[in-house]
Amino acid sequence: MGSTMFIELHAFSAGSHIRGTHIEASLIGLKRHALTNRYKMQTSINCARNSDKSYHEQHKVANLILPYPIEREEFCLCVFTTKHHISQHPQRGDRRSVLNDSQPDKNHKHRHLYFDEATITVSGGQGGDGEAWQTSKTKTVKNFKYKWGTNSQKFIELPAAEPADGGRGGNVYIRVDRACDSLLHIHKRKFWRAKKGYHGSSAPHSTPGRERPRLALTQEDLYISVPAGTVVRRKRSGELIADLTSHGMAILVAEGGAGGIAARPSQQMYSRRQKKEKEVSDVGLEISPRVTTSGEPGEVVTLQLLMRVVADIGIVGLPNAGKSSILKAITRATPDIASYPFTTLMPNLGVIHCERIVSEKLIDIDHETCALPVIADLPGLIKGAHKGRGLGRAFLRHLRRTRAMLIVVDASGQDPVSDYTTIREELRLYNPEYILRPHILALNKIDFEWAALRVQEIKAEVQSLEESAVGPAPIAVLPVSAVSGSGMDILISELMEAMRLCDEELSIVRGSAMDSRDKSDSI
Ligand SMILES: Nc1nc2c(ncn2[C@@H]2O[C@H](COP(=O)(O)OP(=O)(O)OP(=O)(O)O)[C@@H](O)[C@H]2O)c(=O)[nH]1
Ligand SMILES: [Mg+2]
């Protein structure tokens, strides 16, 4: 049994969705209300249960679609018995009332379309109002030195505290959080508003002899958690605000409004007031020293968040080639594996299995200098992916931050060489820079006898391919089997080698940049 809750619904358009865990309860609530509604009995209430049963069971959600608009005057009272939330029709924009943060994920069915991008509007909190002179009263406190029979007074009247300025509204920050791995949680809220600043009247009482003007307490800031690799842009202009690549990075996106000024006849107030008057003199406003000013509204910005996974190596290949199986074999990740295409819809990340490498002495690893590479298993790529076919461009952009690639082809398939050329072609068409990155070609499924027999032939054919068509040749062509585990040790050592090459290249580039800077300095 859940708790009974009452919610006011008003001004909802037709087609709005009400979701509740107890659809019967919501229906009763609405019908009871319908008696006071001019639409009573005229329209039937459609109860559209979600057709996806597992989704329904998982989130215990049922949709109630309002067949008619409810106008503002005709607010209704609706009863839910457990967790609930109300959402407007998606096309109706942002007038959404989020009553419960633990609401089910509305994009559950299409997670792969939403996990890496989101558009939100953030707003800094409004500043608190300055305190009026009249409200600051004298304070009476007990005299602790009072003794009965003496001349001392039992209570002391402290002088009136100076009226306080309003506090600044909360700022909004976007911060990288280790616990986040996608932007799905951002879709639950479209408006992120920081708290309003405290009014001057709530400021703590001043101590006698204070020189600084009184000020309300500072409001706490709002932090929006995002995964590492999130790019923040302004929606309107497309201007890049930040590229949050590492954990702990935070960026201020909307400032809270300044607090209002109190009506305080002191020197500080006069100087602040003069400053403010100068600011507003263009519009011919005058600020009287006896009148308080209210807090300024916070900054409002609409932002576009885009996530690109942060990984060292990206696994690319056609659907069903065994990419996820290889990730599972060389890391501790547990991706979904199945014998149908597009099992993977969202990138899976894994770190190369460190203990295995050390215990079996596969490679010499200096743990202090060498970080183990992060590997990203991406959804299957098909011909035309660069134009958006299949899962298309949405996941090709996740290769942007990778330094090397592992291309997986099914060696037991019809034409592994043509699969390889298709992949290289698609990468080139999406971003010509992708094919210049070092890559390893894994010929998977060689546990099939006929595949093992073709390995040498495939290797020769790949090496004979022209560089103008497929870009630089792979660092290594490795026959592997993710199921039997054969070839995995060599694959790991080759991947580590590729990382070492990338690091060396980077240091050479940095070195030459430093040299050129030194030369220009000497000139
Ligand atoms: N015999 C054999 N089967 C394999 C091997 N690797 C993967 N498979 C099978 O191939 C099928 C597809 O494997 P996945 O790892 O899901 O392939 P994928 O490339 O991630 O597929 P998508 O995510 O759909 O793009 C599964 O049934 C695996 O069991 C292998 O080395 N040998
Ligand atoms: Mg997969």
Side-chain angles (χ1 to χ4, degrees), residues 318-325 336-344 379-380 444-445 447-448 481-483:
L318 299 193
N320 247 345
K323 302 177 291 298
S324 305
S325 309
D336 288 342
I337 295 170
S339 57
Y340 52 83
F342 296 113
T343 314
T344 305
N444 194 26
K445 307 195 185 180
D447 49 313
F448 289 116
S481 168
V483 167

PDB file of all heavy atoms in Angstrom, residues 318-325 336-344 379-380 444-445 447-448 481-483, ligand 1:
ATOM      1  N   LEU A 318      31.120  -4.766 -38.457  1.00  0.00           N
ATOM      2  CA  LEU A 318      29.745  -4.933 -38.917  1.00  0.00           C
ATOM      3  C   LEU A 318      28.945  -5.629 -37.808  1.00  0.00           C
ATOM      4  O   LEU A 318      29.534  -6.227 -36.909  1.00  0.00           O
ATOM      5  CB  LEU A 318      29.719  -5.783 -40.193  1.00  0.00           C
ATOM      6  CG  LEU A 318      30.455  -5.237 -41.423  1.00  0.00           C
ATOM      7  CD1 LEU A 318      30.049  -6.031 -42.655  1.00  0.00           C
ATOM      8  CD2 LEU A 318      30.165  -3.760 -41.671  1.00  0.00           C
ATOM      9  N   PRO A 319      27.607  -5.560 -37.861  1.00  0.00           N
ATOM     10  CA  PRO A 319      26.816  -6.231 -36.824  1.00  0.00           C
ATOM     11  C   PRO A 319      27.127  -7.733 -36.774  1.00  0.00           C
ATOM     12  O   PRO A 319      27.442  -8.345 -37.808  1.00  0.00           O
ATOM     13  CB  PRO A 319      25.368  -5.992 -37.270  1.00  0.00           C
ATOM     14  CG  PRO A 319      25.428  -4.804 -38.143  1.00  0.00           C
ATOM     15  CD  PRO A 319      26.764  -4.821 -38.803  1.00  0.00           C
ATOM     16  N   ASN A 320      27.096  -8.285 -35.593  1.00  0.00           N
ATOM     17  CA  ASN A 320      27.295  -9.720 -35.373  1.00  0.00           C
ATOM     18  C   ASN A 320      28.724 -10.211 -35.591  1.00  0.00           C
ATOM     19  O   ASN A 320      28.955 -11.417 -35.636  1.00  0.00           O
ATOM     20  CB  ASN A 320      26.368 -10.531 -36.290  1.00  0.00           C
ATOM     21  CG  ASN A 320      25.344 -11.269 -35.483  1.00  0.00           C
ATOM     22  OD1 ASN A 320      25.494 -11.389 -34.265  1.00  0.00           O
ATOM     23  ND2 ASN A 320      24.331 -11.760 -36.141  1.00  0.00           N
ATOM     24  N   ALA A 321      29.684  -9.308 -35.736  1.00  0.00           N
ATOM     25  CA  ALA A 321      31.060  -9.747 -35.994  1.00  0.00           C
ATOM     26  C   ALA A 321      31.711 -10.316 -34.734  1.00  0.00           C
ATOM     27  O   ALA A 321      32.712 -11.024 -34.810  1.00  0.00           O
ATOM     28  CB  ALA A 321      31.877  -8.564 -36.509  1.00  0.00           C
ATOM     29  N   GLY A 322      31.147  -9.982 -33.575  1.00  0.00           N
ATOM     30  CA  GLY A 322      31.703 -10.487 -32.316  1.00  0.00           C
ATOM     31  C   GLY A 322      32.441  -9.399 -31.533  1.00  0.00           C
ATOM     32  O   GLY A 322      33.324  -9.709 -30.730  1.00  0.00           O
ATOM     33  N   LYS A 323      32.077  -8.159 -31.716  1.00  0.00           N
ATOM     34  CA  LYS A 323      32.737  -7.032 -31.023  1.00  0.00           C
ATOM     35  C   LYS A 323      32.521  -7.120 -29.511  1.00  0.00           C
ATOM     36  O   LYS A 323      33.470  -7.035 -28.732  1.00  0.00           O
ATOM     37  CB  LYS A 323      32.198  -5.690 -31.537  1.00  0.00           C
ATOM     38  CG  LYS A 323      32.369  -5.482 -33.029  1.00  0.00           C
ATOM     39  CD  LYS A 323      31.771  -4.198 -33.485  1.00  0.00           C
ATOM     40  CE  LYS A 323      30.264  -4.151 -33.437  1.00  0.00           C
ATOM     41  NZ  LYS A 323      29.572  -5.117 -34.297  1.00  0.00           N
ATOM     42  N   SER A 324      31.263  -7.307 -29.133  1.00  0.00           N
ATOM     43  CA  SER A 324      30.965  -7.365 -27.694  1.00  0.00           C
ATOM     44  C   SER A 324      31.620  -8.594 -27.069  1.00  0.00           C
ATOM     45  O   SER A 324      32.091  -8.539 -25.930  1.00  0.00           O
ATOM     46  CB  SER A 324      29.454  -7.421 -27.481  1.00  0.00           C
ATOM     47  OG  SER A 324      28.851  -6.346 -28.127  1.00  0.00           O
ATOM     48  N   SER A 325      31.675  -9.696 -27.824  1.00  0.00           N
ATOM     49  CA  SER A 325      32.307 -10.922 -27.291  1.00  0.00           C
ATOM     50  C   SER A 325      33.782 -10.666 -27.031  1.00  0.00           C
ATOM     51  O   SER A 325      34.334 -11.122 -26.018  1.00  0.00           O
ATOM     52  CB  SER A 325      32.161 -12.074 -28.287  1.00  0.00           C
ATOM     53  OG  SER A 325      30.836 -12.186 -28.668  1.00  0.00           O
ATOM     54  N   ASP A 336      25.807  -7.169 -23.567  1.00  0.00           N
ATOM     55  CA  ASP A 336      24.830  -8.133 -24.086  1.00  0.00           C
ATOM     56  C   ASP A 336      25.401  -8.758 -25.345  1.00  0.00           C
ATOM     57  O   ASP A 336      25.896  -8.046 -26.232  1.00  0.00           O
ATOM     58  CB  ASP A 336      23.508  -7.420 -24.428  1.00  0.00           C
ATOM     59  CG  ASP A 336      22.763  -6.997 -23.188  1.00  0.00           C
ATOM     60  OD1 ASP A 336      23.078  -7.544 -22.121  1.00  0.00           O
ATOM     61  OD2 ASP A 336      21.877  -6.120 -23.294  1.00  0.00           O
ATOM     62  N   ILE A 337      25.303 -10.077 -25.432  1.00  0.00           N
ATOM     63  CA  ILE A 337      25.803 -10.790 -26.622  1.00  0.00           C
ATOM     64  C   ILE A 337      24.681 -11.667 -27.137  1.00  0.00           C
ATOM     65  O   ILE A 337      24.053 -12.399 -26.370  1.00  0.00           O
ATOM     66  CB  ILE A 337      27.033 -11.648 -26.253  1.00  0.00           C
ATOM     67  CG1 ILE A 337      28.179 -10.736 -25.827  1.00  0.00           C
ATOM     68  CG2 ILE A 337      27.455 -12.546 -27.418  1.00  0.00           C
ATOM     69  CD1 ILE A 337      29.349 -11.434 -25.214  1.00  0.00           C
ATOM     70  N   ALA A 338      24.391 -11.596 -28.410  1.00  0.00           N
ATOM     71  CA  ALA A 338      23.349 -12.456 -28.982  1.00  0.00           C
ATOM     72  C   ALA A 338      23.615 -12.611 -30.468  1.00  0.00           C
ATOM     73  O   ALA A 338      24.374 -11.836 -31.065  1.00  0.00           O
ATOM     74  CB  ALA A 338      21.977 -11.838 -28.758  1.00  0.00           C
ATOM     75  N   SER A 339      22.987 -13.610 -31.043  1.00  0.00           N
ATOM     76  CA  SER A 339      23.310 -13.942 -32.429  1.00  0.00           C
ATOM     77  C   SER A 339      22.454 -13.158 -33.425  1.00  0.00           C
ATOM     78  O   SER A 339      22.211 -13.626 -34.524  1.00  0.00           O
ATOM     79  CB  SER A 339      23.135 -15.443 -32.652  1.00  0.00           C
ATOM     80  OG  SER A 339      21.813 -15.771 -32.318  1.00  0.00           O
ATOM     81  N   TYR A 340      21.930 -12.020 -33.033  1.00  0.00           N
ATOM     82  CA  TYR A 340      21.212 -11.201 -34.007  1.00  0.00           C
ATOM     83  C   TYR A 340      21.870  -9.826 -34.104  1.00  0.00           C
ATOM     84  O   TYR A 340      22.502  -9.373 -33.155  1.00  0.00           O
ATOM     85  CB  TYR A 340      19.721 -11.081 -33.656  1.00  0.00           C
ATOM     86  CG  TYR A 340      19.432 -10.636 -32.266  1.00  0.00           C
ATOM     87  CD1 TYR A 340      19.431  -9.295 -31.917  1.00  0.00           C
ATOM     88  CD2 TYR A 340      19.151 -11.568 -31.266  1.00  0.00           C
ATOM     89  CE1 TYR A 340      19.174  -8.892 -30.636  1.00  0.00           C
ATOM     90  CE2 TYR A 340      18.898 -11.175 -29.969  1.00  0.00           C
ATOM     91  CZ  TYR A 340      18.903  -9.832 -29.664  1.00  0.00           C
ATOM     92  OH  TYR A 340      18.655  -9.411 -28.382  1.00  0.00           O
ATOM     93  N   PRO A 341      21.737  -9.175 -35.269  1.00  0.00           N
ATOM     94  CA  PRO A 341      22.409  -7.878 -35.436  1.00  0.00           C
ATOM     95  C   PRO A 341      21.822  -6.791 -34.536  1.00  0.00           C
ATOM     96  O   PRO A 341      20.673  -6.880 -34.134  1.00  0.00           O
ATOM     97  CB  PRO A 341      22.195  -7.529 -36.914  1.00  0.00           C
ATOM     98  CG  PRO A 341      21.120  -8.418 -37.378  1.00  0.00           C
ATOM     99  CD  PRO A 341      21.046  -9.599 -36.487  1.00  0.00           C
ATOM    100  N   PHE A 342      22.633  -5.808 -34.248  1.00  0.00           N
ATOM    101  CA  PHE A 342      22.272  -4.665 -33.408  1.00  0.00           C
ATOM    102  C   PHE A 342      21.857  -5.066 -31.992  1.00  0.00           C
ATOM    103  O   PHE A 342      20.884  -4.569 -31.447  1.00  0.00           O
ATOM    104  CB  PHE A 342      21.188  -3.806 -34.074  1.00  0.00           C
ATOM    105  CG  PHE A 342      21.659  -3.179 -35.356  1.00  0.00           C
ATOM    106  CD1 PHE A 342      21.116  -3.559 -36.576  1.00  0.00           C
ATOM    107  CD2 PHE A 342      22.683  -2.236 -35.345  1.00  0.00           C
ATOM    108  CE1 PHE A 342      21.571  -3.013 -37.761  1.00  0.00           C
ATOM    109  CE2 PHE A 342      23.134  -1.679 -36.529  1.00  0.00           C
ATOM    110  CZ  PHE A 342      22.588  -2.074 -37.743  1.00  0.00           C
ATOM    111  N   THR A 343      22.597  -6.016 -31.446  1.00  0.00           N
ATOM    112  CA  THR A 343      22.381  -6.348 -30.028  1.00  0.00           C
ATOM    113  C   THR A 343      22.855  -5.162 -29.190  1.00  0.00           C
ATOM    114  O   THR A 343      22.226  -4.787 -28.211  1.00  0.00           O
ATOM    115  CB  THR A 343      23.210  -7.589 -29.643  1.00  0.00           C
ATOM    116  OG1 THR A 343      23.046  -8.570 -30.626  1.00  0.00           O
ATOM    117  CG2 THR A 343      22.841  -8.115 -28.291  1.00  0.00           C
ATOM    118  N   THR A 344      23.993  -4.600 -29.602  1.00  0.00           N
ATOM    119  CA  THR A 344      24.528  -3.449 -28.878  1.00  0.00           C
ATOM    120  C   THR A 344      23.920  -2.176 -29.470  1.00  0.00           C
ATOM    121  O   THR A 344      24.053  -1.940 -30.668  1.00  0.00           O
ATOM    122  CB  THR A 344      26.063  -3.406 -29.021  1.00  0.00           C
ATOM    123  OG1 THR A 344      26.567  -4.658 -28.595  1.00  0.00           O
ATOM    124  CG2 THR A 344      26.677  -2.293 -28.212  1.00  0.00           C
ATOM    125  N   PRO A 379      28.075   0.095 -31.367  1.00  0.00           N
ATOM    126  CA  PRO A 379      27.067  -0.647 -32.142  1.00  0.00           C
ATOM    127  C   PRO A 379      27.576  -0.993 -33.551  1.00  0.00           C
ATOM    128  O   PRO A 379      28.491  -0.344 -34.067  1.00  0.00           O
ATOM    129  CB  PRO A 379      25.900   0.336 -32.231  1.00  0.00           C
ATOM    130  CG  PRO A 379      26.088   1.266 -31.098  1.00  0.00           C
ATOM    131  CD  PRO A 379      27.554   1.388 -30.909  1.00  0.00           C
ATOM    132  N   GLY A 380      26.982  -1.982 -34.147  1.00  0.00           N
ATOM    133  CA  GLY A 380      27.413  -2.441 -35.474  1.00  0.00           C
ATOM    134  C   GLY A 380      27.271  -1.366 -36.528  1.00  0.00           C
ATOM    135  O   GLY A 380      26.344  -0.560 -36.509  1.00  0.00           O
ATOM    136  N   ASN A 444      37.859 -12.549 -36.413  1.00  0.00           N
ATOM    137  CA  ASN A 444      37.196 -13.295 -35.334  1.00  0.00           C
ATOM    138  C   ASN A 444      36.563 -14.592 -35.847  1.00  0.00           C
ATOM    139  O   ASN A 444      36.416 -14.795 -37.048  1.00  0.00           O
ATOM    140  CB  ASN A 444      36.142 -12.378 -34.694  1.00  0.00           C
ATOM    141  CG  ASN A 444      35.650 -12.923 -33.376  1.00  0.00           C
ATOM    142  OD1 ASN A 444      36.358 -13.666 -32.692  1.00  0.00           O
ATOM    143  ND2 ASN A 444      34.432 -12.566 -33.008  1.00  0.00           N
ATOM    144  N   LYS A 445      36.213 -15.431 -34.912  1.00  0.00           N
ATOM    145  CA  LYS A 445      35.497 -16.709 -35.134  1.00  0.00           C
ATOM    146  C   LYS A 445      36.363 -17.722 -35.869  1.00  0.00           C
ATOM    147  O   LYS A 445      35.867 -18.469 -36.725  1.00  0.00           O
ATOM    148  CB  LYS A 445      34.168 -16.483 -35.872  1.00  0.00           C
ATOM    149  CG  LYS A 445      33.252 -15.443 -35.209  1.00  0.00           C
ATOM    150  CD  LYS A 445      31.843 -15.482 -35.725  1.00  0.00           C
ATOM    151  CE  LYS A 445      31.020 -14.354 -35.128  1.00  0.00           C
ATOM    152  NZ  LYS A 445      29.659 -14.301 -35.546  1.00  0.00           N
ATOM    153  N   ASP A 447      37.505 -20.216 -34.622  1.00  0.00           N
ATOM    154  CA  ASP A 447      37.231 -21.568 -34.107  1.00  0.00           C
ATOM    155  C   ASP A 447      36.463 -22.395 -35.135  1.00  0.00           C
ATOM    156  O   ASP A 447      36.442 -23.625 -35.079  1.00  0.00           O
ATOM    157  CB  ASP A 447      36.476 -21.512 -32.775  1.00  0.00           C
ATOM    158  CG  ASP A 447      35.292 -20.599 -32.820  1.00  0.00           C
ATOM    159  OD1 ASP A 447      35.430 -19.448 -33.310  1.00  0.00           O
ATOM    160  OD2 ASP A 447      34.208 -20.989 -32.406  1.00  0.00           O
ATOM    161  N   PHE A 448      35.864 -21.731 -36.102  1.00  0.00           N
ATOM    162  CA  PHE A 448      35.266 -22.461 -37.233  1.00  0.00           C
ATOM    163  C   PHE A 448      36.411 -22.908 -38.140  1.00  0.00           C
ATOM    164  O   PHE A 448      37.287 -22.088 -38.494  1.00  0.00           O
ATOM    165  CB  PHE A 448      34.309 -21.567 -38.025  1.00  0.00           C
ATOM    166  CG  PHE A 448      33.026 -21.260 -37.294  1.00  0.00           C
ATOM    167  CD1 PHE A 448      32.719 -19.955 -36.924  1.00  0.00           C
ATOM    168  CD2 PHE A 448      32.131 -22.279 -36.976  1.00  0.00           C
ATOM    169  CE1 PHE A 448      31.538 -19.671 -36.257  1.00  0.00           C
ATOM    170  CE2 PHE A 448      30.950 -21.992 -36.303  1.00  0.00           C
ATOM    171  CZ  PHE A 448      30.655 -20.689 -35.937  1.00  0.00           C
ATOM    172  N   SER A 481      39.597 -15.825 -31.562  1.00  0.00           N
ATOM    173  CA  SER A 481      38.260 -16.371 -31.331  1.00  0.00           C
ATOM    174  C   SER A 481      37.812 -15.945 -29.941  1.00  0.00           C
ATOM    175  O   SER A 481      38.412 -16.330 -28.936  1.00  0.00           O
ATOM    176  CB  SER A 481      38.281 -17.905 -31.429  1.00  0.00           C
ATOM    177  OG  SER A 481      37.052 -18.394 -30.941  1.00  0.00           O
ATOM    178  N   ALA A 482      36.780 -15.134 -29.912  1.00  0.00           N
ATOM    179  CA  ALA A 482      36.312 -14.608 -28.616  1.00  0.00           C
ATOM    180  C   ALA A 482      35.679 -15.713 -27.792  1.00  0.00           C
ATOM    181  O   ALA A 482      35.712 -15.677 -26.568  1.00  0.00           O
ATOM    182  CB  ALA A 482      35.306 -13.486 -28.871  1.00  0.00           C
ATOM    183  N   VAL A 483      35.119 -16.714 -28.458  1.00  0.00           N
ATOM    184  CA  VAL A 483      34.432 -17.782 -27.732  1.00  0.00           C
ATOM    185  C   VAL A 483      35.446 -18.750 -27.107  1.00  0.00           C
ATOM    186  O   VAL A 483      35.382 -19.068 -25.916  1.00  0.00           O
ATOM    187  CB  VAL A 483      33.444 -18.522 -28.660  1.00  0.00           C
ATOM    188  CG1 VAL A 483      32.948 -19.817 -28.052  1.00  0.00           C
ATOM    189  CG2 VAL A 483      32.267 -17.609 -28.978  1.00  0.00           C
TER     190      VAL A 483
HETATM  191  N1  LIG B   1      31.819 -19.441 -32.960  1.00  0.00           N
HETATM  192  C1  LIG B   1      32.031 -18.216 -32.547  1.00  0.00           C
HETATM  193  N2  LIG B   1      30.999 -17.403 -32.323  1.00  0.00           N
HETATM  194  C2  LIG B   1      31.245 -16.146 -31.888  1.00  0.00           C
HETATM  195  C3  LIG B   1      32.569 -15.676 -31.690  1.00  0.00           C
HETATM  196  N3  LIG B   1      32.478 -14.390 -31.265  1.00  0.00           N
HETATM  197  C4  LIG B   1      31.172 -14.089 -31.214  1.00  0.00           C
HETATM  198  N4  LIG B   1      30.430 -15.143 -31.587  1.00  0.00           N
HETATM  199  C5  LIG B   1      28.974 -15.192 -31.669  1.00  0.00           C
HETATM  200  O1  LIG B   1      28.527 -14.224 -32.585  1.00  0.00           O
HETATM  201  C6  LIG B   1      27.267 -13.706 -32.162  1.00  0.00           C
HETATM  202  C7  LIG B   1      27.356 -12.201 -32.121  1.00  0.00           C
HETATM  203  O2  LIG B   1      28.243 -11.813 -31.124  1.00  0.00           O
HETATM  204  P1  LIG B   1      28.280 -10.349 -30.518  1.00  0.00           P
HETATM  205  O3  LIG B   1      29.463 -10.259 -29.634  1.00  0.00           O
HETATM  206  O4  LIG B   1      26.959  -9.985 -29.933  1.00  0.00           O
HETATM  207  O5  LIG B   1      28.495  -9.528 -31.832  1.00  0.00           O
HETATM  208  P2  LIG B   1      28.499  -7.949 -32.023  1.00  0.00           P
HETATM  209  O6  LIG B   1      29.470  -7.617 -33.068  1.00  0.00           O
HETATM  210  O7  LIG B   1      28.684  -7.289 -30.707  1.00  0.00           O
HETATM  211  O8  LIG B   1      27.036  -7.696 -32.563  1.00  0.00           O
HETATM  212  P3  LIG B   1      26.189  -6.349 -32.538  1.00  0.00           P
HETATM  213  O9  LIG B   1      26.259  -5.810 -31.147  1.00  0.00           O
HETATM  214  O10 LIG B   1      24.830  -6.791 -32.883  1.00  0.00           O
HETATM  215  O11 LIG B   1      26.777  -5.446 -33.531  1.00  0.00           O
HETATM  216  C8  LIG B   1      26.993 -14.310 -30.790  1.00  0.00           C
HETATM  217  O12 LIG B   1      26.073 -15.345 -30.955  1.00  0.00           O
HETATM  218  C9  LIG B   1      28.318 -14.832 -30.340  1.00  0.00           C
HETATM  219  O13 LIG B   1      28.196 -15.992 -29.513  1.00  0.00           O
HETATM  220  C10 LIG B   1      33.642 -16.562 -31.931  1.00  0.00           C
HETATM  221  O14 LIG B   1      34.813 -16.260 -31.790  1.00  0.00           O
HETATM  222  N5  LIG B   1      33.308 -17.799 -32.369  1.00  0.00           N
END
